[in-house]
Amino acid sequence: MNLRQQASAFAVHAVLLAYTALALAPIILVIMNSFKERKAIFGAPLQLPSPSTFSLIGYDKVFGDSAIASYYINSITVTGGTIFFTLLFGSMAAWALAEYKFRFNTFLAIFLAIGIMVPIRLGSVALIQLIAQLNLINTLTALILVYVAQNIPLAVFILSEFMGQIPKDLREAARCDGLSEYNIFFHIILPLLRPALATVAVFTMIPVWNDLWFPLLLAPARGKQTITLGIQQFLGQYITDWNSVLSALATAIIPVLILYVIFSRQLIRGLTSGAVK
Amino acid sequence: MATGSDAGLMGMSRASYLRLLGFFLAPAVIIYSVFSIYPLLATIFSSLYLRQIDGTYVFNGLGNFVTLLTDTTWSVSFWNAMKNNFVFFLIHMGVQNPIGIALAALLSLPQLKFRAAYRTLIFMPTMLSVVIIGFTWQLILSPLWGISKMLLQAVGMGAFFAPLLGQESTALITVSLISVWQFVGIPMILIYTALLAIPDELADAATVDGLTQFQTFFFVKLPLVIPAIGLVSVLTFVNNFNAFDLIYAMKGALAGPNFSSDIMGTLFYRTFFGNQLQLGDASMGSTIATMMFLIILLGVMVYLFVIQRRIQRYSF
Amino acid sequence: MSEVKIENLCKAYGPVEVLKNIDLTVEDGSFVVLVGPSGCGKSTLLRSIAGLEPITAGNISIGGRQVNDLPPAQRQIAMVFQSYALYPHKNVYDNMAFGLKFARTPKAEIDQRVSEAARILQLEHLLKRRPRELSGGQRQRVAIGRAIVRKPQVFLFDEPLSNLDAALRINTRVEIAKLHKLLKATIVYVTHDQVEAMTLADKIVVMNNGRVEQTGKPLDLYYNPANMFVAGFIGSPAMNFVAAKMTQKNQLDCGAGMKINLPLPPACKVGDKVTLGCRPEHIQFAAEGKIQLKGNVDILERLGEIGYAHVSLPNGQSIVAQITGDPKVGNGAPVSLALSPTHIHIFGEDGSVCSAAAR
């Protein structure tokens, strides 16, 4: 490597490092200060917590609010339920659209594709009335149903692409082996679709976990809030209590960061494999 | 590849073929139709009705739209939200997407070390809830905490410190930039992917032709990722005109100060649910939602039928 | 009895006919190879027998039973796919046992059939492996094993060797031939490679454009092709064709002053345009002989024992002659070619043979 190349490599890393710092600084700042006592938060916000400034008082307040555990349980239930049904129903529909010829095949594919571009949020006025008529207001079921409806189009789209990559011979070998169409799907296709399902699961998980709109509209009652809504309400309530606010933010951030670290390879691979085009 | 005809698969009766299709398609199609398409259509439909004092609804044709666009009780806030939303969108297009392209270009450089680490870390804010991001930045920009003031002073620009979120002139731009900060990962990843798809030989050929790395990017690679940039633009448009969470989390439903950060999403929420200043109004709420729908539809159509058709696609 | 009988089979995708009036009988225990260029319909025909493609008209029966509307699983066939189509998430044992499990075959019988097949194919030590841990040849054997355990009436092979490298292809070809002898199975085998067809088949079916061009034993097709297509397709290098016109009784004019005297079939009349065909192995460098052509050597390809000379004729056409040893001729050198009179084929204007070579 000559001097010029070294210099340009250095410049590239300088730019990327600077941007990475910009991306991470606010997050680190919040997490760092959430472990400090009030005086240190204001006096020396840029310093790491030291033995003299370390404090968990904010977390005491956050976890003292017994609801926080239920926020998590609700979020996990809603996200888990949404992922399960989105993957199941989405892959079933993708299989039928990819494999079988019937009159409304193209129509159905386009019908489902509308949902990729048009946000379901815009139907909120009628949706809230529908959920009320179904007696599902303030239930997690309502959230799951809406999120499954919201995520099915993209799931079908991505899974159809992957379905096309499973060799046709394999399905025909299974037909020669005497498997029913149902068994071909559940015993051959679904197991082979596992990497694609993981990608779709990650794509589904993040917006659902982070959503504020539908929990606010459909299930705002005490005991039914998801973590995003719960934290939002908690923050509104304790806005002047900086220890609590920072701890609440950190409480919401840390699990997502852990999940992200675990799934980032999956996610980035999904994004870069051209699944979304 | 389909193996059967409409009549069914080999050796399968029409009835059992239809049962098969029903089994696989019905759950997805029913849930999607009932909880996504129906509410959307019903909302558009109810924008044609007007709520009376006694709580009943009468058909009003396009009257609600006329009211929204011309009656000053509504039109002032509508056009304000519309203008703000365009500013919000233009800041994303002008700041988020160029930064995203630049980062993607750097990440796609050959022999870059720590590529995966940069990619993962820069994408991280995109993963977090908009609510959390909103509050985090609110704290950082808060004059109470004073971190931003401290940082500006450290680089000798203390005089520029201002309560950015609290001033009418800066609130919208500040909120937009926070959104840019959070979502820059999306254009970065999509364009990075498109850049990776370009065969190395092409860059090698350009090097042999005597182009610098910089020239290679601008004259060889960038033209080839224009389809990805088109896609990023339409995604940005749809997301921006559907945005709500960030403004709601940072500025509340009133999108202050004095509605200076009000966009379509917050206007819709305020109109539909009501707030300290007014009662909820499902008719006008639907009308605003329908307008948002039409704007997004227009954007998608422009993309599909004008932009995408003109973009030359290349296969490698 | 596991004879496959195909009568007047037609298959169309909309207006596009891909199989036209196919009649074919595959005798019990015989090895029939469908061969032809890509797109000729040979794979479609095989898939129609398997039940993977619906047919438009005609009849298919297997073992005397009409199977037109039966799904593949009920046809008592087994298919070996070009890509092997092994289930990637199942090990070798489960790949072979998979179909039997769904047919609710008793466990003991599955075990017995799988180990029998594994023994025949020497797969016993690989039963616990996943397909991706196997070499191409091993995967191929698993695919065949999966077919064997089904005890089908008919084995269908769809270009099974085309994904193997050249050396392995020859080995596996021999294995398949042995297997056929051992199992006394009825086999329908599709390939585009005429060498595979010649070496494996009891009967070759040459297809082109959705039609059967000719059916017969390998050497019959070689010596007595029914038309120019078969003549050109079977044999390597391909048969030489020279355009000619019958100017007098028993004389052909090949243009540029090249006249050939030979007894012509009675069907040919003076004035007919015909094509003369002769395989490279039936043309020699020789100054004497009943049928002579003169030309200039363009290039000599020496393969060792034999070689091929590409020779330009005065009429602008080029033909290939087989050479033995190392004739000392340079490029461009004039040569005389002798065509073996008993191996000359005369084709009419429609491409069909006017008579078999007068052997």
Side-chain angles (χ1 to χ4, degrees):
Chain A
M1 220 194 253
N2 63 34
L3 206 65
R4 214 190 116 115
Q5 281 170 321
Q6 258 172 0
S8 83
F10 179 79
V12 166
H13 281 284
V15 172
L16 286 172
L17 269 177
Y19 199 88
T20 308
L22 178 62
L24 297 184
I27 300 168
I28 293 170
L29 207 58
V30 164
I31 295 176
M32 206 165 78
N33 283 290
S34 71
F35 291 103
K36 293 201 286 203
E37 55 166 20
R38 189 179 163 82
K39 215 163 66 192
I41 294 174
F42 285 97
L46 299 182
Q47 276 164 24
L48 284 169
S50 69
S52 62
T53 59
F54 183 79
S55 162
L56 290 174
I57 184 166
Y59 288 93
D60 285 345
K61 189 70 126 293
V62 172
F63 288 102
D65 183 343
S66 57
I68 203 104
S70 83
Y71 299 160
Y72 272 111
I73 294 170
N74 291 340
S75 269
I76 290 169
T77 311
V78 168
T79 310
T82 303
I83 290 174
F84 178 79
F85 289 109
T86 302
L87 294 185
L88 180 66
F89 297 157
S91 57
M92 281 161 61
W95 161 251
L97 290 175
E99 185 66 10
Y100 303 125
K101 240 186 232 170
F102 52 94
R103 197 164 305 145
F104 299 109
N105 190 316
T106 315
F107 168 79
L108 268 185
I110 294 171
F111 177 68
L112 286 170
I114 295 171
I116 298 176
M117 277 302 185
V118 179
I120 190 172
R121 236 178 227 201
L122 301 178
S124 296
V125 176
L127 186 63
I128 206 167
Q129 288 159 356
L130 174 72
I131 297 291
Q133 276 163 17
L134 293 172
N135 261 329
L136 291 173
I137 289 285
N138 281 323
T139 62
L140 301 181
T141 315
L143 289 178
I144 294 177
L145 283 169
V146 171
Y147 288 138
V148 171
Q150 173 180 289
N151 284 297
I152 272 182
L154 190 63
V156 170
F157 181 74
I158 294 176
L159 292 172
S160 303
E161 299 266 298
F162 277 91
M163 209 84 82
Q165 291 167 19
I166 296 178
K168 196 175 157 201
D169 281 359
L170 217 52
R171 303 164 230 173
E172 305 201 321
R175 283 196 185 108
C176 290
D177 265 349
L179 270 72
S180 70
E181 296 299 313
Y182 303 94
N183 281 333
I184 293 177
F185 176 74
F186 286 105
H187 289 275
I188 308 287
I189 302 300
L190 220 43
L192 294 181
L193 224 47
R194 228 175 284 157
L197 292 174
T199 303
V200 175
V202 179
F203 283 154
T204 307
M205 178 173 81
I206 292 155
V208 170
W209 183 272
N210 286 339
D211 189 39
L212 177 66
W213 178 267
F214 285 116
L216 191 62
L217 260 64
L218 301 177
R222 186 142 187 88
K224 295 295 176 191
Q225 299 113 313
T226 60
I227 185 77
T228 305
L229 179 60
I231 291 287
Q232 195 258 339
Q233 292 176 344
F234 181 93
L235 293 172
Q237 205 176 333
Y238 292 92
I239 192 74
T240 51
D241 180 349
W242 284 70
N243 288 102
S244 302
V245 165
L246 287 167
S247 307
L249 287 174
T251 310
I253 291 172
I254 291 168
V256 177
L257 287 195
I258 293 171
L259 281 178
Y260 178 59
V261 169
I262 297 172
F263 288 116
S264 67
R265 273 183 63 205
Q266 192 78 52
L267 175 87
I268 305 267
R269 194 166 37 172
L271 281 165
T272 52
S273 71
V276 194
K277 265 191 185 149
Chain B
M1 210 14 226
T3 51
S5 65
D6 199 66
L9 286 168
M10 182 74 59
M12 194 182 266
S13 72
R14 196 173 161 75
S16 51
Y17 188 58
L18 291 178
R19 205 157 48 234
L20 177 75
L21 292 179
F23 173 82
F24 282 114
L25 286 167
V29 172
I30 290 173
I31 292 184
Y32 169 71
S33 305
V34 172
F35 294 99
S36 185
I37 294 296
Y38 161 75
L40 207 60
L41 295 178
T43 299
I44 294 172
F45 189 71
S46 70
S47 71
L48 305 175
Y49 284 76
L50 185 65
R51 191 185 151 95
Q52 304 294 103
I53 312 280
D54 60 2
T56 56
Y57 289 85
V58 292
F59 185 73
N60 194 26
L62 295 175
N64 292 344
F65 292 91
V66 175
T67 309
L68 181 67
L69 298 179
T70 57
D71 182 339
T72 48
T73 11
W74 293 101
S75 65
V76 172
S77 1
F78 175 77
W79 290 115
N80 174 54
M82 186 79 157
K83 186 203 82 196
N84 288 343
N85 220 145
F86 264 103
V87 171
F88 192 66
F89 170 63
L90 291 176
I91 290 175
H92 280 80
M93 285 299 284
V95 181
Q96 172 189 286
N97 295 350
I99 292 179
I101 294 170
L103 290 173
L106 293 181
L107 282 181
S108 68
L109 287 176
Q111 288 143 20
L112 179 74
K113 277 182 191 155
F114 313 117
R115 191 195 310 269
Y118 285 128
R119 204 176 53 189
T120 307
L121 293 176
I122 293 176
F123 198 72
M124 194 177 272
T126 310
M127 295 284 96
L128 294 173
S129 162
V130 175
V131 174
I132 305 303
I133 296 299
F135 267 97
T136 301
W137 276 98
Q138 211 173 3
L139 297 183
I140 291 170
L141 296 176
S142 159
L144 269 180
W145 200 5
I147 288 197
S148 42
K149 191 173 189 177
M150 221 179 282
L151 288 174
L152 283 176
Q153 279 163 349
V155 289
M157 303 210 300
F160 288 94
F161 177 74
L164 293 174
L165 284 167
Q167 304 181 146
E168 269 187 56
S169 57
T170 51
L172 178 63
I173 294 174
T174 309
V175 173
S176 307
L177 288 175
I178 291 168
S179 173
V180 165
W181 172 84
Q182 177 169 18
F183 290 116
V184 79
I186 291 175
M188 177 187 85
I189 289 283
L190 290 178
I191 289 162
Y192 170 70
T193 307
L195 286 170
L196 284 192
I198 299 174
D200 292 340
E201 282 90 351
L202 222 55
D204 293 344
T207 310
V208 173
D209 279 346
L211 275 74
T212 63
Q213 275 202 344
F214 191 74
Q215 289 169 323
T216 304
F217 177 76
F218 262 89
F219 299 113
V220 179
K221 292 190 167 180
L222 198 57
L224 294 175
V225 297
I226 283 177
I229 295 175
L231 178 75
V232 163
S233 306
V234 72
L235 285 179
T236 308
F237 184 84
V238 172
N239 287 334
N240 285 172
F241 276 88
N242 189 36
F244 163 79
D245 301 29
L246 184 66
I247 312 256
Y248 181 77
M250 296 186 78
K251 305 306 303 176
L254 287 176
N258 192 23
F259 303 114
S260 61
S261 58
D262 199 19
I263 56 171
M264 300 299 285
T266 43
L267 175 66
F268 166 51
Y269 179 84
R270 217 168 48 237
T271 308
F272 180 38
F273 286 97
N275 58 77
Q276 297 97 310
L277 306 178
Q278 66 198 66
L279 282 171
D281 184 336
S283 294
M284 290 311 283
S286 307
T287 308
I288 294 171
T290 305
M291 284 306 295
M292 291 166 75
F293 173 74
L294 293 176
I295 293 166
I296 289 173
L297 198 66
L298 190 71
V300 173
M301 291 291 176
V302 167
Y303 168 70
L304 286 180
F305 296 112
V306 182
I307 299 175
Q308 207 185 23
R309 293 224 170 146
R310 298 221 175 138
I311 292 175
Q312 183 83 45
R313 276 165 199 282
Y314 304 91
S315 53
F316 306 114
Chain C
M1 227 347 237
S2 53
E3 178 186 78
V4 179
K5 209 169 173 73
I6 294 165
E7 291 163 332
N8 203 25
L9 184 139
C10 296
K11 159 99 190 153
Y13 297 107
V16 187
E17 289 184 60
V18 289
L19 293 177
K20 302 163 193 163
N21 305 88
I22 307 279
D23 284 296
L24 173 67
T25 305
V26 179
E27 287 83 5
D28 183 28
S30 69
F31 196 130
V32 170
V33 175
L34 309 180
V35 68
S38 61
C40 71
K42 57 191 190 297
S43 280
T44 310
L45 177 56
L46 190 80
R47 293 164 50 79
S48 302
I49 299 173
L52 294 168
E53 300 270 357
I55 58 175
T56 314
N59 254 324
I60 302 174
S61 60
I62 296 174
R65 187 172 60 127
Q66 194 190 350
V67 296
N68 291 12
D69 296 318
L70 289 182
Q74 290 170 29
R75 293 188 177 201
Q76 296 185 286
I77 51 99
M79 187 147 167
V80 177
F81 292 86
Q82 178 173 4
S83 63
Y84 319 139
L86 300 180
Y87 307 123
H89 57 307
K90 306 263 173 205
N91 66 26
V92 169
Y93 180 94
D94 287 335
N95 258 286
M96 294 201 269
F98 202 57
L100 297 177
K101 278 182 186 159
F102 279 91
R104 298 182 200 284
T105 312
K107 176 97 180 64
E109 191 181 342
I110 295 180
D111 260 345
Q112 186 260 321
R113 285 206 211 173
V114 171
S115 42
E116 170 75 8
R119 188 185 56 76
I120 295 173
L121 296 163
Q122 293 146 30
L123 289 168
E124 285 141 316
H125 58 297
L126 301 173
L127 286 174
K128 292 279 163 256
R129 299 249 187 111
R130 292 279 178 92
R132 65 163 181 277
E133 299 161 331
L134 302 178
S135 69
Q138 289 167 336
R139 285 179 207 185
Q140 172 70 70
R141 298 215 301 276
V142 177
I144 295 174
R146 189 169 64 181
I148 291 176
V149 297
R150 290 174 55 76
K151 304 210 164 164
Q153 293 202 340
V154 184
F155 287 84
L156 306 174
F157 285 81
D158 190 3
E159 308 226 8
L161 304 186
S162 53
N163 283 354
L164 299 178
D165 63 45
L168 201 52
R169 199 177 301 166
I170 294 169
N171 271 336
T172 314
R173 200 170 75 200
V174 175
E175 293 299 321
I176 290 176
K178 283 186 192 162
L179 200 65
H180 174 233
K181 282 212 169 61
L182 181 75
L183 299 172
K184 300 183 176 57
T186 310
I187 294 179
V188 183
Y189 183 109
V190 162
T191 179
H192 62 269
D193 178 358
Q194 56 96 17
V195 179
E196 264 172 55
M198 295 294 283
T199 50
L200 286 171
D202 296 325
K203 179 159 90 179
I204 294 181
V205 179
V206 182
M207 294 184 64
N208 187 30
N209 282 329
R211 279 181 210 289
V212 172
E213 295 280 353
Q214 191 175 0
T215 303
K217 290 184 180 151
L219 288 183
D220 280 350
L221 298 192
Y222 178 82
Y223 285 115
N224 300 310
N227 52 46
M228 277 175 71
F229 179 80
V230 177
F233 194 82
I234 301 287
S236 173
M239 185 185 280
N240 295 297
F241 294 117
V242 180
K245 193 171 173 184
M246 185 162 165
T247 42
Q248 297 171 30
K249 192 157 169 50
N250 293 343
Q251 190 187 63
L252 289 178
D253 184 351
C254 302
M258 294 190 293
K259 291 199 168 51
I260 292 172
N261 291 311
L262 84 168
L264 286 168
C268 296
K269 299 186 300 290
V270 173
D272 280 359
K273 282 184 182 155
V274 297
T275 302
L276 175 150
C278 189
R279 298 191 185 279
E281 51 270 42
H282 302 135
I283 304 177
Q284 289 177 317
F285 282 2
E288 66 277 343
K290 267 179 78 181
I291 301 173
Q292 285 279 320
L293 288 175
K294 289 192 194 312
N296 297 74
V297 175
D298 281 333
I299 201 149
L300 277 179
E301 297 176 319
R302 293 181 172 89
L303 305 179
E305 171 74 25
I306 58 163
Y308 297 102
H310 295 251
V311 177
S312 296
L313 299 180
N315 68 359
Q317 284 188 290
S318 176
I319 65 172
V320 179
Q322 183 175 316
I323 52 177
T324 46
D326 184 11
K328 299 280 182 279
V329 285
N331 287 350
V335 287
S336 296
L337 301 174
L339 282 59
S340 159
T342 52
H343 292 103
I344 283 186
H345 307 261
I346 304 294
F347 302 98
E349 252 183 299
D350 64 350
S352 61
V353 73
C354 289
S355 83
R359 288 213 270 157

